[in-house]
Amino acid sequence: MGHEYKAIQWNKNKAVYDVYVFIAVAIFIGVFMAVGLQTHPSGHTADPVVLLIRALGATAFAMLTAILVIGPLARLSPRFLPMLYNRRHLGVMTFLVASAHFGLALLWYHSSGPLNPFVSLFASNPLYDSIPGFPFETLGFAAFLILFLMAATSHDFWLNNLSAPVWKMLHMLVYPAYALLILHIVLGALMMEKSMVYPIITGAAFLIVSGLHLYTGFREWAADSGMKSLKTKGWIDVGAPNDIPNMRALIAPLPKGDRVAIFRYDDKISAVTNACRHQNGPLGEGRVIDGCITCPWHGWQYKPDDGISPPPFTEKIATYNVRIENGRVFVDPKANPPGTRTEPAIISVQGRLPQCP
Amino acid sequence: MKRPHRRMHLMVWLIIAPVTAIVAFTFWDLRPVTPYDELPAAIQKLNPGEAD
């Protein structure tokens, strides 16, 4: 965590994950090219290089679509939470595939003339007022620049130096990048596509991504608004102890718009802020692992009772006082200063777990 | 502590989703009826000798 910078936190699980993604990318490209070679219009010769350029572009688009649905799916169901853990790796790999698409297209279409390929990219087609002839490559290039910026700043060095809010804001540019990619595809490949398969797939991908983000966004907005309307001043009833899955949390909105994550770890219940110190990740969507609350985004850990990261780390998050009365869990909406130890509410005395170091 | 970006996520998608959908569909709907790779044959059919 905070004691050193790591570009990518490699471990065995991530290495295995990367191998699986690499194999999936190779299969996707292979199938795309095989289908393309088999289904090209009769009387025309399919160009393998052009097909490879399109296959790489389609792969990058599919990967980015997958990345963008992970967040809302994880908010809808904890089954998708493990996918959050490797999302940054998938993002960097998406950039690499997009680089191959961009590089090959630049070489194939813009390197044989007298102009510098980058100059040719912008100067060879000035038909900005035409729909069928629009230089769609510029839209893809803009999206590629955003992906480059994100991949280049995925290092924790940038996260620490830019600060979490700025870094997160920067990485939210992925949404405009996705919109640019949609237009790049529509004004490019789909302009000359006879089959309805590609328009349907592209439209469905965009509808799924935007629909999931809007649905989860409105759901959280409604939950927050409902809690604000209560205007609660005292302790807040967040439910019964059994409403909280063991080793997981219940996320409750607070009257001022904050969110608290109430964790149950065997016979104890503790409450901390829902925002991780690292990137404001949703701690309440994480799990208790080895006695520590573990952020689902990048694995940062905190002890549930005082919100302090285990040694040698030093990060601290705010804690909340919690108690159990008449079979209900109550949380004090007033946050304690980060690192303040609070007494866990005890459900029973059975089955204690390993303590966080 | 607030997670300040969740609300901004929603706002961004409220802008991006309809704008992208409308622009993309409009452009796609205005695509040439005859695909580029069939243009020579189509022109040849209409004006013999002008598709070379």
Side-chain angles (χ1 to χ4, degrees), chain A residues 75 131-132 165 168-169 175-176 179 186-187 191 194 206 209-210 213 218 220-221 256 258 273-275 280-282 285 297 320, chain B residues 1-14 16-17 20-21 23-28 30-32 35-38:
Chain A
R75 290 199 285 281
I131 287 176
K168 197 66 192 169
M169 193 79 78
Y175 302 145
V186 168
L187 287 163
M191 274 292 139
K194 270 198 301 185
F206 180 72
V209 169
S210 55
H213 277 272
F218 276 122
E220 290 188 11
W221 194 345
K256 290 183 180 176
D258 299 346
T273 173
N274 190 43
N280 288 332
E285 294 172 17
W297 280 8
Y320 290 82
Chain B
M1 184 179 171
K2 290 180 185 176
R3 298 194 64 249
H5 294 290
R6 282 281 167 90
R7 185 64 56 86
M8 193 171 290
H9 278 238
L10 177 59
M11 293 302 170
V12 168
W13 277 105
L14 276 173
I16 282 181
T20 308
V23 171
F25 182 78
T26 305
F27 284 0
W28 178 77
L30 292 171
R31 72 195 184 284
Y36 276 169
D37 58 354
E38 292 179 9

Side-chain angles (χ1 to χ4, degrees), chain A residues 2 24 99 176 182 205 252 335 348:
Chain A
S99 301
I182 292 285
S348 70

